[in-house]
Amino acid sequence: MGSADNTIVAFENQLRTGIFQEISPQLSDTWFMLDIQPEKQIHPKSGFITTLLDENVYDYEMEMGWFYRYKIFYVYGRNGFWMIQADPFHIKLLRSKNIPARDAGALDETIAKYNTNGNQFTVVNDESGLTREERKAYNRLKEKAQPRIAKLKEQGLYP
């Protein structure tokens, strides 16, 4: 997964979560985020099944721990602000209030799938549910993403 030509970044053991550029006939600037759930690896052709977490990522950053070990992956996208912790694996999402109803339902289904294998997912509805460090990362990524968002707007790819 992490060695594909369209891989922008891959995170965690076995490159579990990654951001990829859309491959289409017109090759747009859209980035999407996929996750591989190890407990669901039964696909007969590729050996793994991916879960779409966000179909329009605006920016991201990784925090590394000791000895270059992945610690946390921050992603700012259309569905919200993602905080993906490496060990133990856990996803926290500050959910965007601007998700279309059709896509919000699909996101709810995805969240439910994660929680069937233990509590792997937490949703917070506003910034008060973030820690001080998470809030700083959120504000930093919102600011850093503005040039990319402006470019996506010009192409009609935002939100």
Side-chain angles (χ1 to χ4, degrees):
M1 176 171 139
S3 63
D5 289 345
N6 65 333
T7 303
I8 295 169
V9 66
F11 175 76
E12 228 269 322
N13 292 343
Q14 321 249 320
L15 309 173
R16 178 175 172 152
T17 306
I19 296 176
F20 303 88
Q21 184 171 16
E22 180 179 55
I23 294 179
S24 63
Q26 66 272 11
L27 190 63
S28 74
D29 279 332
T30 303
W31 297 349
F32 57 95
M33 181 169 57
L34 295 175
D35 184 50
I36 297 174
Q37 293 173 274
E39 62 276 3
K40 296 195 175 183
Q41 301 316 303
I42 56 173
H43 194 276
K45 288 185 180 177
S46 65
F48 61 87
I49 297 173
T50 58
T51 302
L52 178 67
L53 296 178
D54 207 310
E55 59 190 52
N56 201 351
V57 170
Y58 308 137
D59 214 330
Y60 65 91
E61 65 183 37
M62 264 187 279
E63 189 177 312
M64 302 297 280
W66 292 95
F67 305 110
Y68 299 100
R69 296 184 83 181
Y70 292 117
K71 186 175 177 185
I72 194 159
F73 189 34
Y74 296 111
V75 179
Y76 179 57
R78 188 192 74 146
N79 291 346
F81 176 62
W82 301 84
M83 296 139 284
I84 304 174
Q85 180 181 309
D87 189 24
F89 185 81
H90 188 268
I91 299 174
K92 187 174 184 181
L93 171 64
L94 171 61
R95 194 174 180 143
S96 173
K97 293 176 179 32
N98 299 326
I99 303 173
R102 167 182 48 86
D103 297 334
L107 182 58
D108 289 337
E109 288 176 23
T110 297
I111 292 167
K113 289 177 190 174
Y114 275 86
N115 286 332
T116 60
N117 296 308
N119 190 14
Q120 293 184 333
F121 212 110
T122 303
V123 177
V124 293
N125 295 315
D126 58 43
E127 288 183 49
S128 66
L130 302 178
T131 66
R132 190 169 65 89
E133 287 178 15
E134 291 168 343
R135 211 171 299 124
K136 284 169 54 177
Y138 174 59
N139 290 325
R140 190 170 52 246
L141 278 179
K142 271 193 344 185
E143 182 66 31
K144 194 174 134 191
Q146 292 311 307
R148 178 163 168 71
I149 289 171
K151 186 177 177 183
L152 289 169
K153 282 180 180 178
E154 288 174 12
Q155 297 173 354
L157 300 172
Y158 177 88

